[in-house]
Amino acid sequence: MTISIDKEEISIVCQGLLDENSLILDPTVISNYFNSVDKIIVSFWNTKESKTGEVFDKVLSAQQVWGNKITFINNNMTPVEEIKHQEIAMRANLYNQMSSTLFGLRECNTKYCIKVRTDEAYENLQPLVDKFCSFKNKDLNSKAIVSGNMFYRAQKYSWKHAYHISDHLFISETENLLLAFENLCNLIKGDNTSKLDTYIEQFSNKNMGAEKSIGFSFLISNDLVDSIDQMSSEIKDLTIKHFDFVDVNDLGNYICKWNSAGRTYSNILPNCQPIATTNKKNI
């Protein structure tokens, strides 16, 4: 028995800041996404600088074309001063990123979900879906994430890079992602309900960015590990079983952003470099 995934079984959760420059508001980007998925959920926040009139017009246009197949969720984020672990929340805008993803996942009613960002675009997501299917077919009972290769470091099998997937683009079962992001958000808020609470020392480390946070939470939240000792001693086995990546250069035309460094990676925009191919053997 092998699995294959029909587009009717997949939704996209597209999260991030929504402004007049957001690529998810481009009709061509939306149309390309719908070649691989059945529904798009845009879970976003605005800033005072956003040109809300222009954004509203683009949102309305998308809804007129696609109807209830595309949903926009405007999130009121919890103020940082009301969050217990502020040092984690403020690390690369971590809380807003995790919360907007979580709010989108809560509206996702398909078995599988692809997470993308509002400021990025991929022409063809089918290779990501196909890679996930082939990975799952190695072990139909496994719980797994397949991400893009931008910032993917997990293949190095070291504690420094342990479970360091890409937080920009990934696919998994919706219920498994929901558990991971619920626990991450609850940990940051400090409401003492998170399965991650006993791992607060690891999540408080300044080197624990969004990428590792998602990987760690996925393993812990889905009961794939039971201690930090297991996570540190079985890095290679756990990584091989639960994580893999697809090269975004196989996804047609794309635009990816590294905002904190002010960089844009693309194979179509002038003066931009493509993302380097990740080689599993090059560790």
Side-chain angles (χ1 to χ4, degrees), residues 36-272:
S36 299
V37 306
D38 186 60
K39 188 172 182 180
I40 297 174
I41 302 160
V42 184
S43 180
F44 69 95
W45 67 91
N46 290 119
T47 66
K48 294 179 180 178
E49 292 76 24
S50 300
K51 298 177 182 177
T52 54
E54 185 176 342
V55 172
F56 178 79
D57 288 343
K58 290 182 177 181
V59 168
L60 185 61
S61 176
Q63 291 177 320
Q64 288 174 338
V65 172
W66 298 101
N68 61 7
K69 294 180 76 66
I70 188 165
T71 301
F72 290 85
I73 307 170
N74 191 351
N75 300 301
N76 294 317
M77 298 300 181
T78 302
V80 172
E81 57 269 20
E82 297 179 15
I83 295 173
K84 180 177 180 179
H85 298 295
Q86 296 180 19
E87 74 285 355
I88 302 177
M90 296 174 65
R91 191 182 302 147
N93 206 28
L94 189 65
Y95 183 69
N96 281 358
Q97 178 184 349
M98 299 304 160
S99 293
S100 57
T101 303
L102 174 60
F103 297 150
L105 287 167
R106 287 174 175 171
E107 300 299 318
C108 184
N109 56 16
T110 52
K111 184 174 182 179
Y112 304 97
C113 180
I114 297 173
K115 203 286 288 189
V116 299
R117 292 184 7 164
T118 55
D119 61 348
E120 298 185 342
Y122 307 89
E123 182 181 24
N124 179 16
L125 290 174
Q126 194 57 45
L128 175 71
V129 177
D130 293 342
K131 184 63 174 285
F132 181 73
C133 288
S134 63
F135 190 65
K136 287 282 292 184
N137 281 329
K138 298 175 184 177
D139 181 356
L140 294 179
N141 295 318
S142 68
K143 297 179 180 181
I145 291 180
V146 172
S147 77
N149 64 323
M150 184 178 181
F151 302 137
Y152 189 95
R153 303 288 184 269
Q155 86 284 5
K156 295 178 181 291
Y157 308 132
S158 65
W159 184 244
K160 178 180 178 181
H161 299 101
Y163 320 119
H164 192 297
I165 67 168
S166 174
D167 62 322
H168 287 234
L169 168 70
F170 53 81
I171 181 174
S172 187
E173 285 90 348
T174 302
E175 62 179 354
N176 298 339
L177 291 176
L178 190 58
L179 285 173
F181 281 87
E182 288 274 11
N183 279 306
L184 266 175
C185 290
N186 289 342
L187 173 76
I188 298 170
K189 289 188 296 184
D191 63 5
N192 300 317
T193 64
S194 175
K195 291 182 71 171
L196 309 180
D197 285 342
T198 56
Y199 297 84
I200 186 61
E201 180 179 349
Q202 282 72 40
F203 284 92
S204 297
N205 188 300
K206 65 180 181 179
N207 294 319
M208 184 69 120
E211 302 91 349
K212 288 188 67 170
S213 294
I214 296 170
F216 268 63
S217 185
F218 186 84
L219 292 174
I220 299 165
S221 301
N222 287 286
D223 297 321
L224 302 173
V225 294
D226 56 22
S227 68
I228 197 66
D229 288 340
Q230 181 186 4
M231 295 184 77
S232 61
S233 64
E234 300 179 17
I235 294 175
K236 185 172 183 177
D237 289 344
L238 288 167
T239 300
I240 291 173
K241 185 172 183 179
H242 300 292
F243 302 111
D244 205 348
F245 65 86
V246 67
D247 191 333
V248 299
N249 293 289
D250 295 332
L251 305 183
N253 295 333
Y254 65 85
I255 300 173
C256 299
K257 303 287 185 68
W258 183 8
N259 288 333
S260 61
R263 296 182 186 178
T264 297
Y265 297 93
S266 177
N267 58 353
I268 55 172
L269 294 180
N271 303 317
C272 291

